[in-house]
């Protein structure tokens, strides 16, 4: 059952899973785009991004020019590698559960565990 | 990105994911077997099991007979259905991330997001 302990805690929280998935898919996103994609509040998104930046999983910079300055977020190469490794562990868990569910009928208890 | 909000919170915590995976695979397990399978402390396992039992995802009973009485845990049919639906949502997320990672090279930022 070591797959579960291998699941990197830093990515497993649902908001962070959403953030990293969007960043892998889009390369980079503005804070606002990320917020729309992930359905997170300002505060929550901010908190997650700062934690992820501290771990060098994402990087942020200000983009100035025409219009309002924007905060742009992208996933680092190392962050991407680690996130994809986490996703592979998830895949392993999904496959194991689905394979086990196919062979065991629901509600049937092994004989040695039945009440006597 | 609604797949993330569809992820049932009750199953997503790593310990609970381990517990429900083991119960789907084995049908039923004693508290001790479950503890070994999931690598959780007594207190943690207990806490998760009581929360899951309150939601009727698992049920527990005492098995008496020869030797020490044991606590047996099994997943309910409804709990199994809900857990497998959660696993299907995870699968969808894994597939989407892997497909996106295949088409987008790492570290390339869309032109409109580049610093000017």
């Amino acid at each position: 059952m070591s797959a579960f302990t291998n699941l990197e805690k830093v990515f497993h929280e649902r908001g962070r899973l959403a953030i990293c998935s969007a960043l892998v898919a889009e390369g980079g996103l503005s804070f606002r785009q990320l917020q729309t994609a992930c359905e997170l509040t300002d505060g929550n998104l901010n908190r997650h991004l700062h934690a992820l930046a501290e771990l060098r999983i994402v990087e942020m910079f200000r983009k100035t020019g025409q219009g309002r300055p924007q905060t742009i977020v992208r996933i680092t190469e190392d962050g991407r590698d680690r996130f994809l490794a986490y996703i592979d562990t998830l895949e392993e868990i999904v496959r194991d559960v689905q394979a086990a569910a196919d062979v065991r009928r629901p509600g049937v208890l092994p004989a040695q565990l039945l009440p006597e």
Side-chain angles (χ1 to χ4, degrees), chain A:
Chain A
M1 285 291 156
S2 63
F4 302 98
T5 38
N6 280 344
L7 274 181
E8 261 211 90
K9 228 176 177 165
V10 71
F11 297 119
H12 193 63
E13 195 278 330
R14 297 185 304 167
R16 294 192 181 181
L17 185 46
I19 291 168
C20 294
S21 298
L23 290 175
V24 164
E26 303 299 331
L29 285 168
S30 72
F31 187 90
R32 288 294 155 226
Q33 289 171 324
L34 204 47
Q35 196 178 26
T36 308
C38 302
E39 302 173 22
L40 293 168
T41 62
D42 265 39
N44 257 332
L45 179 54
N46 224 349
R47 199 164 44 79
H48 286 313
L49 287 178
H50 280 96
L52 292 170
E54 205 147 293
L55 297 162
R56 295 175 191 274
I57 288 163
V58 304
E59 50 195 13
M60 294 187 270
F61 55 88
R62 297 287 280 174
K63 184 192 171 215
T64 52
Q66 287 185 309
R68 288 193 194 182
Q70 285 185 304
T71 298
I72 305 296
V73 188
R74 72 174 156 196
I75 195 160
T76 65
E77 285 202 40
D78 182 51
R80 186 181 188 275
D81 290 344
R82 283 174 61 188
F83 180 62
L84 293 178
Y86 159 83
I87 289 288
D88 286 344
T89 309
L90 268 194
E91 186 187 23
E92 196 186 311
I93 290 171
V94 165
R95 262 202 315 245
D96 286 353
V97 171
Q98 289 174 337
D102 281 345
V103 297
R104 177 168 296 280
R105 277 181 303 138
V108 178
L109 207 58
Q112 77 277 15
L113 295 180
L114 287 173
E116 282 167 25

